[in-house]
């Protein structure tokens, strides 16, 4: 998971990055102002952006608004002081995935990041399963499955897909792409 931290408070930035790095997140970028944060967010394909509302040069709210307006798809987690209901509504209009009130425990931050990561992985797994269904011409239900059930179903369908591709009954190029895309999930099993 690639994460961008936009935070102008050096101590807070260090707490966030240290918490994430200690938990095993290797791809954590840090910037100290909203303008640089927006630029990096638009240039690099991040999975998660962590930002407060109050930032130097460009507020977190304007960063989020501009990012979404320019097609940004990353999950956004907002660290905040108490906010008015109006600001909260605007944030959720921009599809943020959570608010954490400052000061917070590192375990609270980590719990939120893991929840966001799990949700993102479940969506990726479902997209892979949709592609497999089209390639093997089979309908199967998976939208309401739990995370561990998704992984088992994904592995089963990948075995079938590989078999069909080996017998020239499924497109080998598409199969190779799907197998590559599925590699992170196969390690979980």
């Amino acid at each position: 998971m690639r994460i961008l931290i936009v935070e102008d408070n050096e101590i807070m930035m260090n707490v966030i990055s240290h918490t994430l790095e200690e938990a095993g997140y290797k791809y954590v970028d840090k910037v100290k102002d909203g303008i640089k944060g927006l630029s990096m967010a638009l240039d690099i394909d991040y999975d998660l952006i962590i930002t407060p509302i109050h930032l130097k040069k460009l507020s977190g709210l304007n960063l989020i608004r501009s990012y979404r307006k320019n097609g940004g798809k990353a999950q956004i987690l907002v660290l905040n002081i108490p906010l008015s209901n109006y600001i909260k509504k605007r944030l959720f209009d921009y599809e943020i995935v959570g608010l954490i009130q400052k000061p917070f425990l590192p375990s609270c931050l980590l719990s939120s990041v893991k929840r966001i990561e799990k949700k993102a992985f479940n969506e990726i797994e479902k997209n892979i399963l949709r592609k497999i269904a089209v390639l093997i011409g089979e309908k199967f239900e998976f939208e309401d499955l739990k995370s561990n059930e998704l992984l088992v179903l994904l592995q089963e369908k990948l075995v079938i897909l590989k078999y069909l591709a080996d017998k020239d009954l499924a497109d080998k190029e598409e199969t190779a792409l799907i197998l590559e895309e599925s590699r992170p999930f196969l390690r979980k099993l």
Side-chain angles (χ1 to χ4, degrees):
M1 178 176 230
R2 186 145 199 180
I3 301 171
L4 173 63
I5 302 168
V6 185
E7 175 61 74
D8 55 7
N9 179 312
E10 187 125 5
I11 294 170
M12 184 61 69
M13 182 184 291
N14 289 336
V15 167
I16 297 167
S17 63
H18 178 76
T19 300
L20 295 173
E21 289 164 359
E22 284 290 309
Y25 292 97
K26 297 176 185 169
Y27 305 103
V28 179
D29 295 330
K30 305 174 274 192
V31 294
K32 291 184 179 183
D33 71 66
I35 292 174
K36 287 180 186 170
L38 178 60
S39 176
M40 284 183 71
L42 292 172
D43 289 345
I44 299 171
D45 190 21
Y46 288 101
D47 300 300
L48 175 63
I49 299 169
I50 300 173
T51 184
I53 292 300
H54 303 287
L55 285 170
K56 294 176 184 166
K57 299 186 182 177
L58 180 69
S59 75
L61 185 62
N62 286 329
L63 180 152
I64 294 165
R65 181 182 50 77
S66 297
Y67 178 71
R68 291 293 190 226
K69 188 176 179 181
N70 285 288
K73 301 286 185 210
Q75 304 292 315
I76 300 174
L77 180 61
V78 175
L79 308 175
N80 63 290
I81 56 173
L83 298 171
S84 70
N85 287 336
Y86 173 75
I87 297 293
K88 287 179 186 176
K89 182 188 177 322
R90 288 187 61 197
L91 286 169
F92 284 107
D93 287 345
Y94 295 128
E95 300 175 10
I96 68 162
V97 292
L99 290 166
I100 298 178
Q101 187 164 323
K102 294 179 183 178
F104 57 86
L105 294 172
S107 60
C108 180
L109 171 69
L110 200 52
S111 166
S112 293
V113 170
K114 287 183 181 279
R115 177 183 49 81
I116 292 164
E117 182 178 37
K118 182 178 179 181
K119 182 180 175 189
F121 275 158
N122 285 348
E123 285 307 309
I124 294 169
E125 290 165 338
K126 287 178 183 180
N127 285 334
I128 294 169
L129 284 166
R130 287 182 194 103
K131 291 176 187 178
I132 292 171
V134 168
L135 269 179
I136 66 176
E138 180 184 336
K139 276 186 124 177
F140 43 91
E141 293 296 320
F142 54 84
E143 293 298 333
D144 295 326
L145 294 179
K146 294 177 183 164
S147 186
N148 58 335
E149 296 168 328
L150 272 173
L151 283 172
V152 170
L153 180 63
L154 180 58
Q155 184 175 23
E156 289 172 6
K157 297 305 178 184
L158 286 168
V159 168
I160 293 168
L161 179 60
K162 183 150 179 24
Y163 173 81
L164 291 174
D166 289 345
K167 300 289 183 188
D168 291 326
L169 299 172
D171 185 287
K172 287 185 179 190
E173 213 171 285
E174 281 293 316
T175 299
L177 290 172
I178 289 172
L179 289 171
E180 182 62 31
E181 191 176 353
S182 304
R183 186 170 293 164
F185 305 105
L186 297 179
R187 287 190 205 124
K188 290 183 176 181
L189 296 169

